[in-house]
């Protein structure tokens, strides 16, 4: 599943224009990449000095946009520009970036209109350099150098405790883990991640905790260590999510853990929420969520709607699951077996094979329910035949399977052992029970909850409405004062 | 060779001899001494120090814990089994690169799966199952436990019972016997709901009793609400859920009020 689940945090909606400080948005494409990087550095500097975390996240988004165009000479030139040449970081990083001969620095750098200069020695800038080099190295598939760079940055981060660095640190952690995932050495960094998570908790760095918890869960689940993952998850401190992408990931991992541990109802909830909250661009992630959600619904004895399989861009990926759903819906063991065999390689690759094995029981149940609805009385021999139970003693098997289904409430029937048949009971009138009321309540609760979540998710750019309001307020106040004065004057008049 | 290692080796040889002649008391005493000795090896989990004897020590420790698990089965002590298995597990999971896999690995993992089934810890059963590579699922011992769980979930108890006769490993017998009791309770529960009545001979056969005597005793002990009359067992059906006559007013009021509150927030 590897890169499927990689979801870029950069795909958030564009920042409102109000935050434009030295806005690189306005830059023309004629500007060189280096110039862009310098602009970004100044955004970071501004963010660092004014302690505004938002600006730093904006800088990261701008960097990701530049990612494709990064070239070695841009990176080295930027390092020379941003870091004091005598610093540790410069010495370490400049070695990692490959030297490119031939092309000199762009000529227009000197000639650009805005000459940006930044203060040296800001930790934010230093960490940003690490991040930039790391991204560059990963994109150029230099994994060993990336690992070096990531480890060095982690060592440096351990000595920093600034809220404005946290945002950059989170991205560094993610890439750190990503590099190790690409080289399949995730197990080695588990200890480091745990230490970092503890550190983030002690520093009350909630963003860091969130990111690191997800990375740890991903790390554990990569090796199917569901037990450890659940133990960590249930004991890690929880708080309101800061980043919706991280929250999505968390929900997905949580859904997976719960599915394995047979808590299907909760699992369905988490997986569907993750699929809904994920940004549209994160297609791979949404496909994964949907795959799991489909299986969980089937395990719950529900049949997912057809529209789920027809979502844009997912049709091909979900085909095996569509056929599987069909087999479960019909309740045909033979067909189920055929589908499971046909797509066994897909299911193994998705690591859902063990869940598919669990489904066999649901296929039988559905088949049995269909039989019980269609016949008021049917012999156990026929049931065994219809369910295609293949065993030497299929009638006895059918009898005990029916008995268990009755006990679990899947069908409403009784068995006549002496005559060897099953008698279905008349279905009662559902509307004479409390069932409709309960269903109604759960639906309303769902809608109201959705509304509340939506309200909570609204974002207001800070301060932008304040000025407007104060102007309005002043007018209002003046008006009120005026009225009061008038009123008093009238009163005065009345006295006479 | 390291004198400490030799000492433990000798003690382990004595332990194995005692186990072979089924002298379980001696085994227990020796085992606890062995475990104390093992704590002195720095190469074992969780330290995993790279010492020159690491490979030998790890192998020996794994062998000791494997025997400890087998011993706990012989002693029919489920708690000890869980403890020993937990100590053994790191040797299977985390030492892959250091020592070759043990031939006993899959039988013991299968045994653990079976134990989780007996204790009805299905969630943990599945968690353990996820840890196994695909090729492990082919191993008869693991396959046995997996098929077992499947039949159990489906309700095909006959298959479970036939699986009992074909145990893949001698240590499995103990847990299989425990499972038989669990299955009997399951069947009794299902029959209660599924049938109005059963003839005594049928009931006897279904619940796997050899004599009417045993059946009577089981009914009086476990299900006193069942009635035996004219050669039939009548199951007192729990009262069917009646159509609701009463309106749950308090609950309705609460729900309606909460809707009103929420709507007010929206409008």
């Amino acid at each position: 599943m590897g890169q499927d689940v990689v979801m870029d945090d950069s795909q958030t909606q564009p920042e409102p224009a109000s935050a434009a400080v030295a806005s690189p948005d306005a830059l023309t494409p004629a500007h060189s990449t280096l110039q862009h990087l310098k602009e970004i550095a100044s955004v970071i500097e501004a963010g660092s000095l004014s302690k505004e975390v938002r600006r730093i996240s904006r800088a990261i988004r701008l960097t990701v946009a530049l990612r494709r165009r990064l070239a070695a000479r841009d990176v080295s030139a930027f390092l020379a520009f941003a870091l004091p040449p005598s610093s540790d970081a410069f010495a370490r990083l400049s070695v990692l970036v490959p030297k490119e001969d031939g092309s000199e620095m762009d000529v227009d750098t000197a000639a650009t209109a805005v000459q940006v200069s930044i203060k040296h020695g800001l930790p934010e800038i230093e960490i940003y350099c690490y991040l930039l080099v790391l991204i560059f190295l990963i994109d150029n598939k230099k994994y060993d150098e990336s690992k070096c760079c990531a480890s060095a940055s982690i060592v440096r981060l351990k000595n920093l405790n600034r809220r404005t660095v946290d945002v950059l640190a989170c991205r560094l952690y993610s890439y750190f883990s990503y590099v190790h995932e690409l080289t399949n050495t995730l197990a080695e960094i588990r200890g480091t991640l745990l230490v970092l998570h503890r550190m983030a908790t002690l520093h009350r760095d909630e963003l860091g905790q969130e990111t690191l918890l997800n990375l740890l869960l991903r790390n554990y689940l990569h090796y199917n260590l569901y037990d450890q993952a659940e133990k960590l998850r249930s004991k890690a401190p929880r708080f309101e999510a800061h980043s919706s992408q991280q929250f999505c990931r968390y929900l997905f991992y949580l859904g997976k853990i719960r599915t394995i541990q047979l808590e299907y109802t909760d699992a369905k909830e988490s997986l569907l929420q993750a699929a809904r909250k994920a940004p549209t661009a994160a297609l791979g992630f949404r496909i994964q969520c949907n795959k799991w959600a489909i299986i969980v619904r089937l395990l719950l004895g529900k049949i997912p709607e057809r529209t789920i399989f027809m979502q844009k861009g997912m049709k091909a990926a979900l085909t095996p699951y569509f056929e599987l759903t069909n087999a479960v819906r019909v309740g045909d063991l033979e067909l189920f077996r055929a589908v499971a065999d046909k797509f066994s390689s897909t299911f193994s690759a998705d690591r859902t094979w063990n869940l598919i094995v669990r489904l066999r029981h649901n296929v039988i149940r559905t088949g049995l329910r269909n039989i019980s609805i269609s016949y008021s009385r049917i012999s156990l021999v026929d049931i065994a035949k219809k369910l295609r139970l293949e065993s030497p003693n299929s009638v006895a098997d059918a009898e005990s399977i029916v008995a268990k289904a009755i006990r679990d409430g899947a069908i409403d029937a009784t068995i006549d052992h002496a005559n060897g048949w099953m008698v279905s009971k008349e279905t009662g009138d559902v509307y004479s029970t409390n069932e409709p009321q309960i269903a109604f309540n759960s639906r309303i609760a769902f809608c109201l909850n959705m509304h509340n979540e939506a309200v909570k998710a609204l974002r207001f750019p800070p301060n932008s409405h304040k000025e407007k309001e104060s102007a309005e307020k002043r007018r209002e106040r003046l008006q009120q004062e005026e009225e009061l004065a008038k009123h008093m004057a009238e009163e005065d008049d009345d006295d006479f | 060779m390291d004198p400490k290692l030799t000492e433990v080796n000798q003690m382990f040889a004595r332990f194995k001899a005692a186990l072979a002649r089924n002298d379980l008391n001696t085994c227990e005493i020796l085992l606890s001494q062995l475990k104390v000795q093992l704590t002195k090896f720095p190469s074992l989990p969780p330290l995993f120090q790279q010492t020159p004897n690491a490979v030998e020590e790890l192998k020996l420790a794994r062998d000791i814990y494997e025997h400890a698990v087998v011993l706990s089965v012989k002693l029919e002590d489920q708690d000890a089994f869980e403890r020993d298995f937990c100590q053994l597990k790191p040797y299977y999971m985390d030492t892959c690169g250091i020592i070759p896999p043990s031939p006993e690995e899959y039988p013991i993992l299968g045994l653990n799966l079976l134990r989780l089934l007996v204790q009805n810890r299905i969630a943990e059963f599945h968690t353990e199952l996820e840890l196994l590579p695909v090729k492990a699922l082919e191993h008869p011992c693991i396959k046995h436990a997996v098929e077992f769980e499947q039949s159990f979930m489906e309700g095909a108890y006959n298959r479970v019972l036939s699986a009992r006769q074909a145990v893949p490993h001698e240590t499995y017998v103990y847990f299989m016997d425990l499972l038989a009791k669990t299955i009997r309770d399951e069947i009794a529960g299902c029959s209660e709901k599924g049938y109005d009545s059963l003839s005594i001979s049928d009931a006897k056969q279904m619940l796997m009793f050899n004599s009417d005597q045993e059946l009577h005793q089981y009914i009086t002990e476990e299900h006193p609400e069942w009635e035996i009359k004219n050669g039939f067992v009548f199951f007192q059906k729990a009262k069917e859920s009646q159509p609701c006559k009463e309106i749950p007013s308090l609950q309705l009021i609460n729900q309606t009020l909460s809707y009103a509150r929420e709507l007010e927030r929206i409008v």
Side-chain angles (χ1 to χ4, degrees):
Chain A
M1 85 187 170
Q3 83 231 34
D4 281 7
V5 197
V6 176
M7 181 170 51
D8 224 310
D9 290 69
S10 60
Q11 272 118 9
T12 35
Q13 61 280 35
E15 195 82 347
S18 64
V21 191
S23 170
D25 292 342
L27 290 173
T28 50
H31 278 68
S32 68
T33 316
L34 179 61
Q35 192 61 27
H36 276 295
L37 287 174
K38 287 184 182 175
E39 302 283 355
I40 292 171
S42 71
V43 173
I44 294 179
E45 188 189 19
S48 157
L49 295 177
S50 62
K51 296 210 165 37
E52 272 191 76
V53 176
R54 206 163 38 83
R55 286 197 185 154
I56 308 236
S57 10
R58 182 175 151 75
I60 292 176
R61 270 201 299 281
L62 292 170
T63 314
V64 176
L66 277 183
R67 199 168 159 177
R68 293 242 162 96
R69 300 187 354 232
L70 279 183
R73 64 196 159 93
D74 295 324
V75 177
S76 358
F78 178 72
L79 289 180
F81 161 75
L83 295 173
S86 56
S87 70
D88 249 12
F90 180 75
R92 210 174 286 136
L93 287 174
S94 50
V95 179
L96 291 170
V97 180
K99 293 280 175 293
E100 253 179 53
D101 41 15
S103 58
E104 278 302 303
M105 280 208 333
D106 282 22
V107 212
D108 66 338
T109 33
T112 38
V114 217
Q115 188 58 48
V116 199
S117 68
I118 54 163
K119 230 170 88 183
H120 280 308
L122 278 177
E124 282 82 0
I125 298 286
E126 185 188 339
I127 297 299
Y128 177 75
C129 290
Y130 277 110
L131 181 64
L132 189 72
V133 172
L134 184 55
I135 292 176
F136 172 76
L137 290 173
I138 290 177
D139 285 347
N140 287 291
K141 307 213 161 37
K142 297 193 188 312
Y143 297 135
D144 290 333
E145 286 92 335
S146 327
K147 274 191 206 170
C148 259
C149 172
S151 315
S153 69
I154 300 277
V155 172
R156 176 76 183 95
L157 278 172
K158 280 183 183 163
N159 301 321
L160 286 171
N161 184 12
R162 285 168 75 119
R163 290 295 76 81
T164 36
V165 172
D166 290 346
V167 193
L168 292 164
C170 285
R171 299 309 299 257
L172 268 177
Y173 299 150
S174 312
Y175 285 115
F176 172 58
S177 166
Y178 182 56
V179 156
H180 282 270
E181 190 171 328
L182 287 175
T183 51
N184 207 9
T185 46
L186 272 182
E188 292 167 16
I189 58 165
R190 208 177 286 147
T192 319
L193 288 178
L194 282 166
V195 170
L196 287 170
H197 183 260
R198 192 170 55 221
M199 202 177 73
T201 313
L202 290 175
H203 287 175
R204 295 183 182 279
D205 166 14
E206 295 193 345
L207 202 60
Q209 285 179 56
E210 208 170 60
T211 316
L212 288 163
L213 179 63
N214 277 337
L215 291 176
L216 278 165
L217 289 179
R218 185 183 177 84
N219 198 319
Y220 284 130
L221 296 191
H222 186 80
Y223 297 97
N224 280 349
L225 295 166
Y226 287 93
D227 198 23
Q228 282 91 327
E230 169 59 19
K231 278 181 181 140
L232 173 72
R233 188 203 64 78
S234 56
K235 290 181 177 70
R238 286 300 302 157
F239 35 80
E240 206 155 311
H242 284 269
S243 139
S244 76
Q245 281 88 1
Q246 294 298 347
F247 189 52
C248 269
R249 292 196 184 103
Y250 175 77
L251 284 173
F252 176 61
Y253 301 140
L254 178 63
K256 275 173 92 164
I257 295 173
R258 283 177 168 165
T259 312
I260 296 301
Q261 305 201 327
L262 294 102
E263 294 166 34
Y264 298 136
T265 322
D266 295 339
K268 189 189 88 179
E269 206 94 318
S270 320
L271 289 169
L272 286 182
Q273 213 183 340
R276 257 201 309 270
K277 281 198 179 195
T280 348
L283 187 65
F285 179 80
R286 284 195 299 137
I287 289 177
Q288 285 294 332
C289 284
N290 273 306
K291 281 178 183 173
W292 280 75
I294 288 166
I295 295 182
V296 169
R297 277 206 239 180
L298 289 176
L299 284 168
L300 274 170
K302 289 176 187 151
I303 306 295
E305 305 94 46
R306 194 172 270 267
T307 47
I308 292 187
F309 302 99
M310 299 299 157
Q311 292 176 76
K312 209 172 145 213
M314 294 190 195
K315 210 165 151 189
L318 293 182
T319 310
Y321 293 87
F322 177 68
E323 290 194 24
L324 194 73
T325 309
N326 209 22
V328 177
R329 188 178 58 86
V330 181
D332 186 339
L333 266 186
E334 202 64 37
L335 182 63
F336 174 73
R337 227 169 284 156
V339 173
D341 283 344
K342 186 173 157 200
F343 295 111
S344 62
S345 55
T346 319
F347 296 141
S348 309
D350 287 345
R351 298 207 238 170
T352 47
W353 178 250
N354 284 334
L355 297 174
I356 308 281
V357 173
R358 287 191 214 172
L359 268 177
R360 192 185 130 85
H361 155 71
N362 287 64
V363 181
I364 294 178
R365 277 283 157 88
T366 327
L368 201 56
R369 205 177 303 143
N370 289 345
I371 292 173
S372 142
I373 292 168
S374 342
Y375 297 87
S376 59
R377 197 174 70 187
I378 181 169
S379 74
L380 293 169
V381 182
D382 287 338
I383 293 182
K385 221 177 280 167
K386 276 180 184 298
L387 291 179
R388 305 202 211 181
L389 297 174
E390 278 164 14
S391 64
N393 200 357
S394 60
V395 180
D397 273 356
E399 187 167 352
S400 54
I401 288 174
V402 171
K404 188 156 192 280
I406 295 174
R407 192 198 57 175
D408 295 348
I411 54 173
D412 202 6
T414 50
I415 309 170
D416 192 330
H417 183 75
N419 295 315
W421 59 49
M422 172 183 98
V423 185
S424 305
K425 283 186 197 153
E426 291 292 312
T427 42
D429 179 15
V430 179
Y431 284 94
S432 64
T433 63
N434 276 332
E435 250 351 278
Q437 168 65 27
I438 293 166
F440 178 67
N441 182 44
S442 70
R443 283 176 202 184
I444 289 204
F446 176 79
C447 289
L448 290 173
N449 200 21
M450 172 92 92
H451 175 263
N452 286 342
E453 293 271 310
V455 170
K456 264 191 226 161
L458 286 177
R459 268 215 308 199
F460 301 99
N463 299 331
S464 70
H465 65 291
K466 242 183 204 164
E467 283 165 33
K468 219 193 303 168
E469 209 165 90
S470 68
E472 231 164 66
K473 254 190 194 150
R474 197 168 53 227
R475 210 181 316 131
E476 222 169 83
R477 204 185 54 232
L478 287 175
Q479 209 173 355
Q480 270 178 356
E481 276 171 12
E482 214 171 296
E483 267 174 33
L484 196 70
K486 220 162 141 195
H487 201 67
M488 272 161 67
E490 273 171 21
E491 261 180 352
D492 282 347
D493 285 348
D494 282 353
D495 278 352
F496 287 106
Chain B
M1 199 166 182
D2 189 37
K4 238 187 327 184
L5 201 59
T6 326
E7 191 195 332
V8 175
N9 255 325
Q10 279 165 358
M11 204 192 276
F12 185 44
R14 266 187 287 151
F15 169 83
K16 275 201 275 202
L19 194 65
R21 55 169 199 274
N22 251 340
D23 186 356
L24 299 181
N25 281 333
T26 321
C27 281
E28 261 187 294
I29 298 163
L30 280 171
L31 181 65
S32 48
Q33 288 171 2
L34 276 171
K35 282 185 181 172
V36 173
Q37 290 296 322
L38 283 183
T39 55
K40 292 174 188 159
F41 292 152
S43 66
L44 304 187
L47 293 169
F48 287 118
Q49 271 177 27
Q50 302 280 345
T51 56
N53 291 327
V55 174
E56 257 105 82
E57 286 173 4
L58 281 170
K59 269 197 203 155
L60 179 63
R62 184 176 68 187
D63 210 10
I64 290 175
Y65 283 121
E66 275 171 356
H67 279 82
V69 169
V70 174
L71 174 69
S72 69
V73 175
K74 284 200 173 163
L75 288 168
E76 310 197 342
D77 184 346
Q78 293 188 32
D79 291 337
F81 181 95
E82 187 166 357
R83 273 197 308 275
D84 292 331
F85 182 78
C86 283
Q87 284 176 304
L88 179 59
K89 212 172 148 192
Y91 293 91
Y92 291 149
M93 311 302 298
D94 302 333
T95 60
C96 300
I98 313 174
I99 48 174
S102 147
E104 291 299 306
E105 178 168 345
Y106 291 142
I108 286 186
L109 288 176
L111 200 59
N112 182 50
L113 289 176
L114 209 57
R115 171 186 70 93
L116 291 172
L117 275 185
V118 169
Q119 298 175 342
N120 208 12
R121 287 150 73 171
I122 306 291
E124 284 169 66
F125 175 88
H126 284 290
T127 314
E128 289 290 323
L129 201 59
E130 286 296 323
L131 287 172
L132 298 173
V134 180
K135 78 173 190 325
L137 298 179
E138 306 285 313
H139 192 277
C141 291
I142 308 281
K143 213 170 165 191
H144 180 260
V146 173
E147 280 174 5
F148 216 82
E149 190 263 353
Q150 235 180 9
S151 312
F152 199 74
M153 287 300 286
E154 275 166 33
Y157 298 118
N158 288 311
R159 245 181 283 153
V160 181
L161 292 175
S162 60
R164 191 174 151 217
Q165 266 111 50
V167 283
H169 200 265
E170 74 232 281
T171 43
Y172 281 44
V173 178
Y174 163 63
F175 284 118
M176 290 307 225
D177 288 342
L178 283 181
L179 259 182
K181 165 123 185 43
T182 321
I183 290 172
R184 181 176 294 153
D185 291 338
E186 279 283 306
I187 294 179
C190 290
S191 312
E192 192 175 34
K193 295 273 157 52
Y195 304 96
D196 292 325
S197 63
L198 270 180
S199 74
I200 288 196
S201 60
D202 287 337
K204 191 173 72 184
Q205 195 198 341
M206 267 188 204
L207 295 173
M208 306 167 289
F209 286 113
N210 294 322
S211 67
D212 292 4
Q213 187 79 40
E214 282 173 333
L215 178 67
H216 282 289
Q217 200 191 344
Y218 177 75
I219 291 178
T220 42
E221 274 172 19
E222 301 280 332
H223 296 278
E225 73 279 8
W226 295 1
E227 213 179 328
I228 303 170
K229 218 162 48 182
N230 312 331
F232 278 89
V233 181
F234 288 93
F235 304 105
Q236 298 297 65
K237 288 246 155 163
K239 286 277 164 279
E240 291 298 315
S241 56
Q242 294 288 326
C244 156
K245 291 280 183 303
E246 239 174 88
I247 295 168
S249 40
L250 194 64
Q251 192 195 347
L252 267 181
I253 292 171
N254 276 333
Q255 284 177 0
T256 320
L257 280 178
S258 72
Y259 301 157
R261 198 173 50 240
E262 293 284 339
L263 279 176
E264 206 155 65
R265 230 192 277 173
I266 295 173
V267 182

